[in-house]
Amino acid sequence: QKEVEQNSGPLSVPEGAIASLNCTYSDRVSQSFFWYRQYSGKSPELIMSIYSNGDKEDGRFTAQLNKASQYVSLLIRDSQPSDSATYLCAVKVTDSWGKFQFGAGTQVVVTP
Amino acid sequence: EAEVAQSPRYKITEKSQAVAFWCDPISGHATLYWYRQILGQGPELLVQFQDESVVDDSQLPKDRFSAERLKGVDSTLKIQPAELGDSAMYLCASSFGPDSKETQYFGPGTRLLVL
């Protein structure tokens, strides 16, 4: 079993709709959670970080964390064609020098 | 805005040759990470430095890969000899420190093709 799992995708979303991305993790000492966006052929760029249970909003993006369920999600509202990318969920394990564990990513395709 | 620098951006080499990648982290960042990312997968940690010390190299194929960060600033990742299966994107990232809320920032990556 992988330590960080994401929906396999691709996720097809009509322009203007909400894209919902899910991530589960297995390591209970995980403290910090990050969402990265990666365009094809490019390196990952940070979108959101979340550390406490609940919701965190930043523009069109909302991250949700539930540590009891070991679940973190990302919502993209009013999806735009420029949101078409692969979204990586990353978990920081703080008992090992701050090692990041990544999921395989979910590809999002926003259709006009 | 400060960025992580990597070079080269692209590298084509033949099997059994040696290759080297260079990374210069954001100034002041003590933690440096090297990842390998195969198409369709998430980044896999190869080696993590805290200042000049290796703190995690559990996934580094030590028979052919080596990494160093001699003065705790820039770093070099070497592969010798390269194999066909090494074709991938090699990403360098840095963070201020290992604290839980410190995120990491990625460089542009080096795309390696082994023929």
Side-chain angles (χ1 to χ4, degrees):
Chain A
Q1 181 184 4
K2 291 185 178 179
E3 293 164 319
V4 180
E5 300 212 33
Q6 298 184 241
N7 305 57
S8 57
L11 178 65
S12 183
V13 179
E15 185 174 356
I18 296 175
S20 178
L21 307 172
N22 301 319
C23 174
T24 58
Y25 59 95
S26 60
D27 196 326
R28 290 193 173 273
V29 298
S30 301
Q31 296 292 323
S32 307
F33 308 86
F34 305 86
W35 284 99
Y36 289 84
R37 178 176 61 200
Q38 186 173 28
Y39 292 113
S40 180
K42 302 297 185 182
S43 63
E45 56 179 323
L46 180 71
I47 298 176
M48 295 276 291
S49 59
I50 186 166
Y51 313 113
S52 304
N53 283 328
D55 296 357
K56 179 181 178 182
E57 187 174 317
D58 184 358
R60 295 186 296 110
F61 298 98
T62 299
Q64 300 172 318
L65 174 61
N66 184 326
K67 289 188 177 181
S69 300
Q70 296 179 250
Y71 173 90
V72 59
S73 67
L74 180 71
L75 299 178
I76 308 174
R77 292 184 302 280
D78 188 23
S79 295
Q80 301 297 309
S82 59
D83 295 326
S84 296
T86 295
Y87 291 80
L88 297 165
C89 172
V91 173
K92 192 168 188 180
V93 181
T94 54
D95 66 342
S96 60
W97 287 95
K99 176 180 178 178
F100 286 80
Q101 297 170 340
F102 283 85
T106 299
Q107 184 185 6
V108 172
V109 179
V110 180
T111 55
Chain B
E1 182 176 307
E3 296 180 338
V4 177
Q6 285 188 251
S7 67
R9 296 291 304 277
Y10 303 93
K11 179 70 177 179
I12 300 175
T13 191
E14 293 185 344
K15 185 176 61 172
S16 80
Q17 295 298 304
V19 293
F21 312 129
W22 176 80
C23 173
D24 192 13
I26 294 171
S27 179
H29 280 197
T31 310
L32 186 147
Y33 308 82
W34 281 103
Y35 293 92
R36 176 172 58 188
Q37 186 177 25
I38 296 170
L39 195 63
Q41 299 182 18
E44 175 196 18
L45 181 68
L46 292 174
V47 62
Q48 179 178 342
F49 289 92
Q50 184 63 30
D51 299 307
E52 67 277 7
S53 301
V54 172
V55 296
D56 190 333
D57 63 357
S58 57
Q59 299 303 311
L60 187 72
K62 298 180 187 65
D63 56 335
R64 298 185 301 109
F65 286 65
S66 64
E68 61 182 15
R69 193 184 184 198
L70 293 176
K71 296 183 179 179
V73 181
D74 59 338
S75 175
T76 301
L77 178 70
K78 297 179 180 178
I79 308 175
Q80 183 172 17
E83 296 182 352
L84 296 178
D86 296 332
S87 295
M89 172 82 90
Y90 289 82
L91 296 162
C92 178
S94 70
S95 69
F96 186 75
D99 181 78
S100 63
K101 295 189 177 181
E102 292 292 340
T103 191
Q104 61 181 325
Y105 298 91
F106 284 88
T110 297
R111 186 171 294 280
L112 173 66
L113 178 61
V114 182
L115 301 175

